[in-house]
Amino acid sequence: MSDIARIFTVVIFIVQYAAGVEITSWMTDMLSSVNSKRAKQNLVPLCYNAKVIAAAVTHNEDMVKEDFLDHTGSDGSDPGDRLVRKEYDWNSYGENVAWGQISVQEVMKAWMKSDGHKANILNDSVVHFGAAWDVSTNYWTQVFGRSGNSDDVCISTGTIPTLKEVGEGCDKKSECQSNKCKNGVCKKKKTKKKDGKSCNKDSKCISNNCYGKKKCRPFTCLDKKVPCEKNSDCCSLKCSRKRSTCNK
C-alpha cells in the first residue's frame, strides 16, 4: 500500500472533535469523497483546518441569509478576504459553492462535472479543507487552502505529511509549505493574483482562469451573450443593460 493510500485510510475513519470544531458525519463523508478523487490522481489527501472551516461556514451562512450564490460575499469579500479574517495566512486558496443538492454524493457529482470546481478539488497547491452545508436550504461551500504559517495545522492527525519551510531540502514541490521546490530546496512562492488583476496565463491567477489572457476571473463567471444581472456576473465585467447579456 502506498503512503498516500495509508494516509487516506486514516482519513476515512476519523470522526472527531478538535480545536472547538465538531467534524460531523456528513463532513467526514465530504472529506472522504474529496480525498478519494485526489487519490486517483496520486495527490496528497487534504485535512480539515479549523480556520478554513470557519471561512466556509461564514460564507455559507451569508449566502443563506442574503439568498444568493456567488464567491463574492454580500459585503464584497472574496474567499481570500474571508480566510484572512479568520487569521489564516494563505498563499493559495480555492472555493466551490453550490445550491440545491441534497447529499454529499449529489453535490460532489455536480462539482466533478464542472472543470473549474473539479480543478479546485484536484488542486495540488492546497493541503487544508473546510466545508459547510445548510440542510434547510441546501447551500454548500467548500474552501481549500495552503498556509504560509506553520501554526495553521490540521485538526485531525496523520492526514498530511509535515510540510517543509523555505530553505529546507526537498525532492518535490508537494513537500514544501510554499509548494515550490527548486534545486532541491524549498523556495518562497509568489502569491497568485486575485480576480480583476491583469494576467497573461491561467497559472498566474488564484482561480486558474485568466480570461482572454487579460484579467483573472472566477471559474463561475459567464461568457459573452449569456444572460446576466450585473457586471461582476460576466468574465468580461460587462453586462449590457439593454440586452441583459454579457458583452465582450
Side-chain angles (χ1 to χ4, degrees):
M1 183 184 292
S2 68
D3 289 340
I4 286 179
R6 289 192 188 97
I7 294 169
F8 175 57
T9 301
V10 174
V11 174
I12 292 177
F13 296 104
I14 288 177
V15 178
Q16 61 185 338
Y17 188 91
V21 180
E22 183 180 5
I23 308 300
T24 58
S25 60
W26 78 262
M27 292 177 72
T28 303
D29 292 343
M30 176 70 82
L31 185 59
S32 296
S33 181
V34 167
N35 283 335
S36 69
K37 309 300 183 188
R38 293 175 65 85
K40 291 177 182 177
Q41 303 299 319
N42 200 34
L43 297 172
V44 172
L46 306 182
C47 69
Y48 276 115
N49 171 276
K51 296 175 183 178
V52 180
I53 291 174
V57 170
T58 294
H59 187 53
N60 210 63
E61 289 178 346
D62 185 30
M63 291 194 296
V64 171
K65 181 180 179 181
E66 301 298 332
D67 191 24
F68 72 97
L69 184 69
D70 203 317
H71 294 290
T72 302
S74 62
D75 60 355
S77 64
D78 63 25
D81 295 328
R82 293 187 286 273
L83 284 168
V84 169
R85 290 173 185 174
K86 301 303 179 183
E87 300 183 351
Y88 184 81
D89 186 21
W90 64 267
N91 57 29
S92 181
Y93 70 75
E95 182 181 78
N96 288 339
V97 294
W99 173 77
Q101 293 82 5
I102 61 173
S103 67
V104 169
Q105 181 180 11
E106 189 174 322
V107 75
M108 281 296 295
K109 183 177 181 180
W111 278 327
M112 290 301 290
K113 285 185 177 181
S114 163
D115 289 342
H117 297 96
K118 181 179 179 181
N120 281 333
I121 292 169
L122 301 181
N123 186 353
D124 67 353
S125 297
V126 298
V127 294
H128 293 142
F129 182 65
W133 174 28
D134 185 82
V135 180
S136 62
T137 60
N138 287 316
Y139 273 94
W140 300 81
T141 301
Q142 288 182 328
V143 178
F144 308 81
R146 175 185 286 264
S147 174
N149 188 340
S150 58
D151 292 333
D152 289 329
V153 298
C154 300
I155 61 172
S156 53
T157 57
T159 54
I160 64 171
T162 300
L163 299 175
K164 297 179 179 180
E165 302 285 350
V166 171
E168 292 188 90
C170 58
D171 293 317
K172 52 187 178 181
K173 66 179 183 178
S174 60
E175 296 177 356
C176 303
Q177 189 93 17
S178 62
N179 199 43
K180 184 176 182 179
C181 179
K182 187 175 181 180
N183 299 326
V185 179
C186 291
K187 300 288 187 178
K188 186 175 181 180
K189 189 174 183 179
K190 292 182 179 180
T191 302
K192 290 189 177 184
K193 296 182 178 181
K194 292 185 177 183
D195 295 337
K197 299 295 183 180
S198 60
C199 58
N200 55 17
K201 57 183 178 180
D202 291 343
S203 62
K204 296 290 185 180
C205 304
I206 291 172
S207 63
N208 287 317
N209 181 21
C210 181
Y211 183 72
K213 293 188 177 181
K214 292 182 179 181
K215 295 285 186 181
C216 294
R217 297 295 295 136
F219 271 110
T220 53
C221 63
L222 305 174
D223 212 338
K224 62 181 180 180
K225 297 184 180 180
V226 176
C228 57
E229 295 181 359
K230 55 186 184 297
N231 288 338
S232 59
D233 292 338
C234 306
C235 295
S236 63
L237 294 177
K238 295 179 181 179
C239 179
S240 169
R241 292 183 179 180
K242 184 176 181 180
R243 298 192 180 108
S244 294
T245 57
C246 293
N247 290 339
K248 279 187 175 182

